[in-house]
Amino acid sequence: MDVNTISKSGILIRLTDERWKHIALMHPALIKKKRQILNAVKNPDYILRGSAHELLAVAGPLKQRFLVVVYKEILEGGFIITAFETTDRTWLFKKEIVWSRPS
């Protein structure tokens, strides 16, 4: 069953069953983190711009890892593409910061 969240832009973002299966298969450490993935889109610490017009919602760091959720926003509603954890702060923050949580 698909689940939804709302992005910082107020757009409904879907996490489809197909995308969830992809995330669980490719990133098994995230299997028990579906709620955190949805929350990262709704309440991120940073939003970064990807190279293909996607957005990256970033939560963390938690235990030296950032949770990154890649998603697209379109007027009719958006969708999550994938999610992963990274410790590579340098790679991550080379991207344009679209939004960040006020200090």
Side-chain angles (χ1 to χ4, degrees):
M1 175 186 232
D2 295 356
V3 291
N4 302 317
T5 191
I6 303 292
S7 72
K8 277 291 188 193
S9 303
I11 301 215
L12 182 72
I13 305 294
R14 293 182 330 272
L15 174 57
T16 65
D17 286 340
E18 185 274 330
R19 290 286 85 198
W20 176 246
K21 287 175 186 172
H22 161 82
I23 292 166
L25 179 65
M26 300 305 291
H27 309 283
L30 298 180
I31 288 174
K32 295 183 179 183
K33 296 185 178 182
K34 185 186 273 188
R35 182 174 294 162
Q36 289 155 303
I37 290 168
L38 294 168
N39 192 54
V41 174
K42 184 177 184 177
N43 195 22
D45 292 312
Y46 303 93
I47 300 174
L48 310 176
R49 187 172 318 282
S51 57
H53 305 290
E54 77 278 18
L55 297 170
L56 288 75
V58 180
L62 303 169
K63 297 181 183 176
Q64 304 300 323
R65 293 182 176 275
F66 291 92
L67 173 61
V68 180
V69 182
V70 182
Y71 67 102
K72 285 262 193 175
E73 286 186 345
I74 52 178
L75 292 178
E76 303 82 34
F79 53 94
I80 292 174
I81 299 167
T82 193
F84 58 92
E85 292 180 310
T86 185
T87 58
D88 192 345
R89 182 181 189 94
T90 303
W91 169 82
L92 192 58
F93 289 101
K94 282 184 181 177
K95 299 181 179 307
E96 176 189 357
I97 298 175
V98 176
W99 181 89
S100 65
R101 179 181 307 282
S103 305

